Protein backbone atom coordinates (compact mmCIF):
# COMPACT_ATOMS: atom_id res chain seq x y z
CA UNK A 1 0.00 0.00 0.00
CA UNK A 2 1.08 3.59 -0.43
CA UNK A 3 3.88 4.91 -2.61
CA UNK A 4 6.52 2.90 -4.44
CA UNK A 5 10.11 3.08 -3.10
CA UNK A 6 13.47 1.94 -4.31
CA UNK A 7 14.94 -1.03 -2.45
CA UNK A 8 17.21 1.03 -0.18
CA UNK A 9 14.46 3.42 0.91
CA UNK A 10 11.97 0.60 1.46
CA UNK A 11 14.38 -1.34 3.67
CA UNK A 12 15.28 1.80 5.63
CA UNK A 13 11.59 2.58 6.28
CA UNK A 14 11.01 -1.04 7.27
CA UNK A 15 13.73 -0.74 9.92
CA UNK A 16 12.62 2.68 11.16
CA UNK A 17 8.87 2.09 11.22
CA UNK A 18 8.57 -1.66 11.69
CA UNK A 19 6.99 -2.13 8.27
CA UNK A 20 7.00 -5.21 6.11
CA UNK A 21 8.05 -4.42 2.55
CA UNK A 22 8.20 -6.45 -0.64
CA UNK A 23 9.07 -6.03 -4.33
CA UNK A 24 6.21 -4.72 -6.47
CA UNK A 25 6.99 -4.34 -10.17
CA UNK A 26 10.05 -2.13 -10.62
CA UNK A 27 9.98 -0.89 -7.02
CA UNK A 28 9.18 -1.82 -3.45
CA UNK A 29 6.04 -1.17 -1.42
CA UNK A 30 4.81 -1.63 2.08
CA UNK A 31 2.67 -4.75 2.55
CA UNK A 32 -0.10 -5.21 5.11
CA UNK A 33 -2.57 -7.93 6.01
CA UNK A 34 -5.39 -8.64 3.57
CA UNK A 35 -8.13 -10.15 5.77
CA UNK A 36 -11.45 -11.42 4.50
CA UNK A 37 -14.28 -9.03 5.49
CA UNK A 38 -16.77 -10.31 8.05
CA UNK A 39 -19.43 -7.60 7.98
CA UNK A 40 -20.31 -4.40 6.12
CA UNK A 41 -21.27 -2.11 8.97
CA UNK A 42 -23.34 0.28 6.82
CA UNK A 43 -25.30 -2.49 5.06
CA UNK A 44 -28.59 -1.53 6.75
CA UNK A 45 -28.26 2.08 5.62
CA UNK A 46 -27.32 0.98 2.10
CA UNK A 47 -30.35 -1.33 2.05
CA UNK A 48 -32.65 1.48 3.17
CA UNK A 49 -31.37 3.75 0.40
CA UNK A 50 -31.67 1.03 -2.26
CA UNK A 51 -35.26 0.32 -1.18
CA UNK A 52 -36.02 3.98 -1.87
CA UNK A 53 -34.64 3.78 -5.40
CA UNK A 54 -31.34 5.51 -4.70
CA UNK A 55 -28.20 4.31 -6.48
CA UNK A 56 -25.56 3.80 -3.79
CA UNK A 57 -21.82 3.86 -4.42
CA UNK A 58 -20.09 2.13 -1.52
CA UNK A 59 -17.27 -0.17 -0.48
CA UNK A 60 -14.69 1.70 -2.56
CA UNK A 61 -11.32 -0.01 -2.42
CA UNK A 62 -12.83 -2.72 -0.22
CA UNK A 63 -13.83 -0.30 2.51
CA UNK A 64 -12.09 0.91 5.65
CA UNK A 65 -11.01 -2.04 7.83
CA UNK A 66 -11.96 -1.86 11.51
CA UNK A 67 -11.98 -4.28 14.42
CA UNK A 68 -14.21 -4.34 17.49
CA UNK A 69 -12.51 -3.63 20.82
CA UNK A 70 -13.46 -5.34 24.07
CA UNK A 71 -15.57 -2.31 25.07
CA UNK A 72 -17.55 -2.56 21.82
CA UNK A 73 -15.96 0.44 20.13
CA UNK A 74 -14.39 0.25 16.69
CA UNK A 75 -10.75 0.81 15.89
CA UNK A 76 -9.16 1.24 12.46
CA UNK A 77 -6.43 -1.21 11.47
CA UNK A 78 -3.72 -1.07 8.84
CA UNK A 79 -4.96 -3.59 6.30
CA UNK A 80 -6.35 -3.83 2.79
CA UNK A 81 -9.78 -5.43 2.36
CA UNK A 82 -10.19 -7.13 -1.00
CA UNK A 83 -12.82 -5.24 -3.00
CA UNK A 84 -14.27 -8.38 -4.60
CA UNK A 85 -14.87 -10.13 -1.27
CA UNK A 86 -16.30 -6.88 0.14
CA UNK A 87 -18.69 -6.70 -2.83
CA UNK A 88 -19.68 -10.34 -2.39
CA UNK A 89 -20.37 -9.83 1.31
CA UNK A 90 -22.38 -6.67 0.69
CA UNK A 91 -24.42 -8.44 -2.00
CA UNK A 92 -25.26 -11.21 0.49
CA UNK A 93 -26.08 -8.77 3.28
CA UNK A 94 -28.41 -6.91 0.89
CA UNK A 95 -29.91 -10.24 -0.29
CA UNK A 96 -29.13 -9.32 -3.87
CA UNK A 97 -30.37 -11.53 -6.69
CA UNK A 98 -27.14 -11.14 -8.61
CA UNK A 99 -23.49 -10.28 -8.07
CA UNK A 100 -21.83 -8.71 -11.09
CA UNK A 101 -18.05 -8.29 -10.92
CA UNK A 102 -16.85 -6.01 -13.70
CA UNK A 103 -13.37 -5.94 -15.14
CA UNK A 104 -11.55 -4.54 -18.18
CA UNK A 105 -11.42 -7.72 -20.27
CA UNK A 106 -14.26 -9.28 -22.24
CA UNK A 107 -14.15 -12.59 -20.37
CA UNK A 108 -12.31 -14.70 -17.82
CA UNK A 109 -9.34 -16.48 -19.36
CA UNK A 110 -7.14 -19.28 -18.09
CA UNK A 111 -3.44 -18.58 -18.76
CA UNK A 112 -4.31 -14.97 -19.63
CA UNK A 113 -1.67 -13.13 -21.63
CA UNK A 114 -0.07 -16.28 -22.99
CA UNK A 115 -0.40 -18.25 -26.22
CA UNK A 116 -2.39 -20.87 -24.26
CA UNK A 117 -5.04 -18.34 -23.15
CA UNK A 118 -8.53 -19.78 -23.32
CA UNK A 119 -11.90 -18.27 -22.50
CA UNK A 120 -13.80 -19.75 -19.58
CA UNK A 121 -17.58 -19.51 -19.50
CA UNK A 122 -18.23 -21.49 -16.29
CA UNK A 123 -16.32 -21.94 -13.07
CA UNK A 124 -16.31 -25.71 -13.40
CA UNK A 125 -14.03 -25.34 -16.40
CA UNK A 126 -11.52 -23.38 -14.29
CA UNK A 127 -11.77 -25.29 -11.02
CA UNK A 128 -8.73 -27.45 -11.69
CA UNK A 129 -6.56 -24.55 -12.86
CA UNK A 130 -7.07 -21.81 -10.26
CA UNK A 131 -3.31 -21.38 -9.92
CA UNK A 132 -3.27 -19.95 -13.46
CA UNK A 133 -5.18 -16.89 -12.25
CA UNK A 134 -3.15 -14.04 -10.67
CA UNK A 135 -3.81 -13.79 -6.90
CA UNK A 136 -4.26 -10.02 -7.03
CA UNK A 137 -6.34 -9.91 -10.19
CA UNK A 138 -8.84 -12.49 -11.48
CA UNK A 139 -8.43 -15.12 -8.76
CA UNK A 140 -10.21 -13.14 -6.01
CA UNK A 141 -13.02 -12.28 -8.44
CA UNK A 142 -13.56 -15.97 -9.19
CA UNK A 143 -13.35 -16.86 -5.50
CA UNK A 144 -15.81 -14.12 -4.52
CA UNK A 145 -18.24 -15.16 -7.24
CA UNK A 146 -17.94 -18.80 -6.17
CA UNK A 147 -18.62 -17.85 -2.57
CA UNK A 148 -21.73 -15.89 -3.57
CA UNK A 149 -23.05 -18.77 -5.68
CA UNK A 150 -22.33 -21.33 -2.99
CA UNK A 151 -23.92 -19.35 -0.16
CA UNK A 152 -26.97 -17.94 -1.97
CA UNK A 153 -27.72 -20.27 -4.87
CA UNK A 154 -27.85 -17.22 -7.16
CA UNK A 155 -25.67 -17.06 -10.24
CA UNK A 156 -23.04 -14.29 -10.27
CA UNK A 157 -21.22 -13.15 -13.39
CA UNK A 158 -17.81 -11.72 -14.27
CA UNK A 159 -17.48 -9.58 -17.36
CA UNK A 160 -16.46 -6.30 -18.98
CA UNK A 161 -17.77 -2.94 -17.76
CA UNK A 162 -19.03 -1.98 -21.22
CA UNK A 163 -21.09 -5.18 -21.33
CA UNK A 164 -22.79 -4.70 -17.94
CA UNK A 165 -26.32 -4.13 -19.27
CA UNK A 166 -26.05 -7.09 -21.64
CA UNK A 167 -24.69 -9.32 -18.87
CA UNK A 168 -27.58 -8.45 -16.55
CA UNK A 169 -29.98 -9.23 -19.39
CA UNK A 170 -28.43 -12.70 -19.68
CA UNK A 171 -25.75 -12.02 -22.24
CA UNK A 172 -22.03 -12.68 -22.40
CA UNK A 173 -20.02 -13.21 -19.22
CA UNK A 174 -18.58 -16.01 -17.14
CA UNK A 175 -21.46 -17.34 -15.08
CA UNK A 176 -21.29 -19.55 -12.04
CA UNK A 177 -24.09 -21.91 -11.18
CA UNK A 178 -25.11 -22.27 -7.53
CA UNK A 179 -25.97 -25.95 -7.91
CA UNK A 180 -22.62 -27.39 -6.75
CA UNK A 181 -22.59 -25.40 -3.53
CA UNK A 182 -20.18 -27.43 -1.48
CA UNK A 183 -17.60 -27.55 -4.23
CA UNK A 184 -17.86 -23.83 -4.96
CA UNK A 185 -17.55 -22.87 -1.30
CA UNK A 186 -14.48 -25.09 -1.03
CA UNK A 187 -12.89 -23.39 -4.01
CA UNK A 188 -13.58 -19.96 -2.54
CA UNK A 189 -12.01 -21.00 0.77
CA UNK A 190 -8.95 -22.41 -0.98
CA UNK A 191 -8.43 -19.24 -2.98
CA UNK A 192 -9.02 -16.78 -0.14
CA UNK A 193 -6.78 -18.69 2.24
CA UNK A 194 -4.01 -18.58 -0.33
CA UNK A 195 -4.14 -14.85 -0.97
CA UNK A 196 -1.56 -13.98 1.70
CA UNK A 197 -0.61 -10.35 2.08
CA UNK A 198 -1.53 -7.44 -0.14
CA UNK A 199 0.56 -4.49 -1.32
Amino acid sequence: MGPVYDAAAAKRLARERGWQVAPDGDGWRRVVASPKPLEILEARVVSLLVERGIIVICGGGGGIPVVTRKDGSLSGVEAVIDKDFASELLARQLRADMLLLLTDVDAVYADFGTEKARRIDALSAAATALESFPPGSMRPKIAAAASFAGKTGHAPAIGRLEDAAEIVAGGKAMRISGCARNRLTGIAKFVSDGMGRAP
Side-chain angles (χ1 to χ4, degrees):
M1 63 183 291
V4 177
Y5 305 97
D6 61 40
K11 291 174 182 178
R12 176 178 53 79
L13 289 167
R15 285 192 307 271
E16 293 174 357
R17 302 182 184 182
W19 288 357
Q20 289 187 322
V21 295
D24 184 23
D26 294 332
W28 286 64
R29 298 181 77 189
R30 182 184 179 198
V31 293
V32 296
S34 182
K36 196 169 181 181
L38 301 176
E39 181 181 6
I40 306 295
L41 299 178
E42 299 88 354
R44 290 178 65 185
V45 175
V46 173
S47 179
L48 183 67
L49 292 169
V50 170
E51 287 171 5
R52 282 156 178 72
I54 297 170
I55 296 174
V56 183
I57 299 172
C58 53
I64 300 171
V66 296
V67 294
T68 305
R69 295 175 171 170
K70 290 182 180 179
D71 64 3
S73 65
L74 298 176
S75 177
V77 294
E78 293 183 329
V80 175
I81 302 295
D82 182 84
K83 62 185 180 298
D84 298 311
F85 282 107
S87 298
E88 185 270 338
L89 176 58
L90 180 61
R92 283 193 288 112
Q93 286 190 247
L94 296 178
R95 297 180 180 171
D97 295 326
M98 182 179 192
L99 171 65
L100 177 55
L101 297 171
L102 299 173
T103 183
D104 59 355
V105 292
D106 66 338
V108 174
Y109 290 87
D111 301 314
F112 182 74
T114 72
E115 293 181 0
K116 297 189 296 183
R118 60 193 184 283
R119 181 183 174 114
I120 295 175
D121 295 314
L123 182 66
S124 59
T128 58
L130 286 174
E131 66 278 359
S132 68
F133 298 104
S137 179
M138 196 55 75
R139 190 184 300 183
K141 285 181 172 31
I142 293 170
S147 178
F148 181 79
K151 292 175 180 176
T152 69
H154 296 304
I158 301 172
R160 188 169 57 179
L161 175 62
E162 302 94 295
D163 300 329
E166 184 180 350
I167 294 168
V168 171
K172 56 185 176 183
M174 186 185 92
R175 296 192 177 270
I176 299 174
S177 169
C179 59
R181 295 186 186 184
N182 292 337
R183 186 176 184 196
L184 295 179
T185 302
I187 291 169
K189 183 175 189 303
F190 166 78
V191 174
S192 61
D193 287 351
M195 286 178 66
R197 307 180 75 79

